[in-house]
Amino acid sequence: MNSPAQRTGAASEGRRAPVLATRALSKDYGPVRVLSGVSLEFHAGEIHALLGENGAGKSTLIKMLAGVTAPSEGEILVDGAARRLRSVRDGQSHGIVALPQELSLVPTLGAAENIFLGLRRPGSRLLVDRRALDRDATALLERLGQRIPLDVPAGELSAVQQTMIALARALARDARVLILDEPTAALTEREAEQLFAVLRTLREAGTAIVYVSHRLEEVFALADTATVLLGGRHVWTRPAAQTSADDAVAAMIGRPPGQIYPQRETGEPALQRAGGPAALEVRDLRGHTLAGVSLQVPPGRVLGIGGLAGSGRSELLALIAGAQRPRGGAVLLGGQDITARRLAGRMRAGIVLVPEERRSQGLVMTHSVQDNIALANLGRFSRLGIASRSRERAAALRRAESLRIRATSIRQPVEELSGGNQQKVVLAKYLERSPRVLLLDEPTRGIDVGTKAEIYQLVRRLAAEGVAVLVVSSEIPELLGVADEIAVLHEGRLAGLVPAATATEESVLHLCYRKSA
Amino acid sequence: MMSSTAPAQAPSTEATRSRATIPARLASYGTLLGLVALIILFSVLRPQVFLTPLNFTNILEQIAILAIVTAVQTVVMVVGDFDLSVGALASLVGVITAQLLVAGTDPAAAVAAGLLTGLLAGAVNGALVSYLNLSAFIATLATMTSFTGLALLLSNGSTVFGLPDSFVWLGQGRLGPVPVPVVIALALVLLIWFVLSKTVLGRAWYAVGGNAEAARLSGVNVRLVRFSAFLVSGTGAALAGIVLTARLASGHPTAADALMLSSIAAVFLGITLSRAGQPTIGGTAVGLGIMGVLSNGLNIMQVNSYVQQVLTGLIIVLAVSLSRLSRRRR
Ligand SMILES: Nc1ncnc2c1ncn2[C@@H]1O[C@H](COP(=O)(O)OP(=O)(O)OP(=O)(O)O)[C@@H](O)[C@H]1O
Ligand SMILES: [Mg+2]
């Protein structure tokens, strides 16, 4: 499948040698081959997108390129010479720098320390020259067009600022090959634009960029070359100009793509769960950012929640779920005030929050798929305090099947799953609660197009059954596609509430920035 | 639908490779192999003494009290904490129980009072850690110091003698051929195994130790769960102190102090066998086995007890680093 003839792009141009290439690269985990004989070329001054569904092997490939893991077979060529990359340091010494799928800044250190962490700097060996450090950091950030306060711990900066620090870190290491694994997953569209501008500048400067993303529009706006992987195999590599998102999707899933966003059925909700359908109402809810928000979500309604990062979207969900204590206001379910109840109590009442961060909030990484799904359902899968393994197993199998979770078995630790499949486990775990009110915080982050479509269908199906759904998303098309109504938050307040049918990307974006549409 | 994405199945099954996996497997079972190797070693060196049913009973008897403490230390370490106070608490409870007995208290009541003391001490530790948010290290280090001080105060720094036979039976008696402490330890280990692996509470302990935030957002009462682990360790430490006091037929204010480090070491040895990096009762049992066989074997070989200590330390380092190595490159 990966014969040279099919690599039309590189072959037709017949130009200079690649900076980085792989030859029949394979990776096995135990008996499972997750990457199989992949040969690729990455050129200077070129943005090369890697596409493929969840678990296709993109991150695995990238980890080998960066020296994080060793290939099982095949080789990696840097400037035409086969190299063994034994560590990330090794990769960096060849100018290969990767920004992993989950950024790894030290949250307590500032930008400058993070940028130069692990780098031997000229001059004194023992003492840190703060001034020089700050000056150099500022210079690097300026090359990226960024002004980031150096005295703020990285953990408190916005997602895009953190990405920029990670990029500056790569620049400080003289990256000739820059690898980005889903860098925009945690960014809003505006922030993503900032990142793209920087990447284009780096491309002009001759950096080879390897880019992984599930957001195909951005890929095709950005990339020069696209490669599709399917089940660990190379399907094709083409110049981006000679292919399209639809082609890519068809190759990624091995069939023609269907419609992404579902039809909205309108009908009387008929919820067969304990308690029946119930409307959610919040009155003047206040938290750290949230400064008094009132909303009503009737059963069967999907409310999308838009807004910029830091506008209070996640906090709104956390306050409704009881994951965070409010500073004021009330939460009502079916007319009953449940503000006094804590998270567990609200969960029993049917309010279920699917949190945003899968690693830190959603999963116990070392535990199995089954145990993670069971965790939110321990009380329901037990009698007299004794857990029923067989019921847990049955539920996990059912969910793994319906969400098409790719794992060797439901006993596999989730840390071994691909990012998108981990996200599906988080969804499975909370859907198993049979919610009456479902709060979804960035539910499709890192999930491939095919599965996204299925998750949207699922949301609509739940709504048709009478569940009230709130979806927070940074992707406005997603809000438009799945929600009935869109509430936009701006600095902790409701900036507007618009029906999805009449809203446009522009009108929502305008509300995000609080301009009248 | 999609040929390559059958749910819950291997992405591709055609390829098999077993190279690197065999050494990796061996290394991750290194601790278990270490136990087997120790048994073989001592069997070969001293076959007539080491490999006898009598000596086997001996080993069990020698580690029974440590096993009690280690079983409950396992629980605290599953939750992701330590309990440094278990040894000092066991000593304190020993002194209190002994003094009550000497004062003529009914043995059953004295034992109950001792256990209650342990439960209360555990509640103090648990409250400090999970409700006042002190690190378990600081909190239990502090209570350890206070418990030792209390034990010395109560006993005036001297040993309490003159315990009734009915009480001493707990430490020196036998049920058929089996020493009573061994029966008690086995029962406790089984109970903890059951709770850890079969109950909702056990699952919550593991979840909190694995990712407290994810557990919280799953509706688990994280504070209560951590608190409960310290209740268990306090009560278990008290039980160990009571059995030790019965075995020695006397209460001594520092008699059980050494149990703390050994219990943590045994749990760590056990963790090397666990894939998730969290303790299991099975792993703990192997860790205990190593500690027991090692000290028994070295005693039989008449190795100087100082040298024994040095060797024990080395073995722990060896086992833990072996399992680290197996984890490093995946
Ligand atoms: N440490 C591991 N042990 C076993 N299997 C693993 C391990 N890491 C990854 N895998 C498997 O390798 C396959 C490819 O994973 P990879 O992370 O490369 O996918 P991906 O293309 O990046 O997907 P996503 O879009 O979801 O991030 C998956 O099926 C995954 O389960
Ligand atoms: Mg990935």
Side-chain angles (χ1 to χ4, degrees), chain B residues 88-150:
Chain B
L89 179 57
S91 302
L92 172 63
V93 168
V95 167
I96 290 176
T97 312
Q99 284 184 330
L100 285 174
L101 288 165
V102 170
T105 316
D106 174 61
V111 167
L115 291 177
L116 196 66
T117 309
L119 187 74
L120 285 177
V124 170
N125 280 331
L128 290 176
V129 172
S130 67
Y131 293 99
L132 292 180
N133 292 325
L134 295 190
S135 83
F137 189 85
I138 302 290
T140 60
L141 189 67
T143 53
M144 173 183 93
T145 315
S146 300
F147 293 157
T148 301
L150 263 179

Side-chain angles (χ1 to χ4, degrees), chain B residues 27-95:
Chain B
S28 69
Y29 288 111
T31 317
L32 191 53
L33 291 182
L35 176 57
V36 175
L38 281 178
I39 293 175
I40 294 176
L41 180 74
F42 290 127
S43 307
V44 171
L45 291 177
R46 285 284 188 284
Q48 308 90 329
V49 195
F50 184 79
L51 256 193
T52 57
L54 178 67
N55 191 45
F56 184 69
T57 317
N58 265 344
I59 294 178
L60 283 182
E61 194 168 4
Q62 282 158 4
I63 61 173
I65 292 167
L66 177 60
I68 295 173
V69 177
T70 310
V72 293
Q73 186 73 260
T74 305
V75 172
V76 182
M77 288 175 71
V78 162
V79 180
D81 292 319
F82 292 95
D83 190 345
L84 301 183
S85 72
V86 281
L89 179 57
S91 302
L92 172 63
V93 168
V95 167

Side-chain angles (χ1 to χ4, degrees), chain A residues 171-250:
Chain A
L171 290 188
R173 284 158 175 77
D174 299 318
R176 293 188 302 145
V177 181
L178 186 61
I179 305 176
L180 299 109
D181 198 352
E182 298 191 39
T184 54
L187 304 186
T188 61
E189 292 187 26
R190 282 281 166 105
E191 292 175 328
E193 283 302 330
Q194 272 187 56
L195 174 66
F196 300 154
V198 166
L199 293 184
R200 290 195 179 99
T201 320
L202 291 175
R203 169 175 60 188
E204 299 318 315
T207 312
I209 296 175
V210 184
Y211 190 86
V212 176
S213 175
H214 288 294
R215 298 188 180 177
L216 293 179
E217 315 85 70
E218 75 183 30
V219 164
F220 280 91
L222 193 66
D224 306 294
T225 310
T227 287
V228 175
L229 297 177
L230 173 58
R233 293 172 182 282
H234 182 202
V235 182
W236 49 244
T237 296
R238 290 178 185 164
Q242 288 170 31
T243 178
S244 68
D246 281 351
D247 281 355
V249 173

Side-chain angles (χ1 to χ4, degrees), chain B residues 214-274:
Chain B
R216 184 179 81 89
L217 291 173
S218 301
V220 172
N221 187 338
V222 173
R223 287 174 190 268
L224 188 61
V225 164
R226 285 179 91 187
F227 181 78
S228 69
F230 282 98
L231 287 187
V232 170
S233 73
T235 314
L239 181 62
I242 289 166
V243 177
L244 181 66
T245 304
R247 185 173 150 85
L248 301 175
S250 63
H252 187 275
T254 58
D257 290 7
L259 291 176
M260 181 268 285
L261 278 180
S262 305
S263 71
I264 293 179
V267 178
F268 263 123
L269 284 172
I271 290 178
T272 60
L273 287 170
S274 123

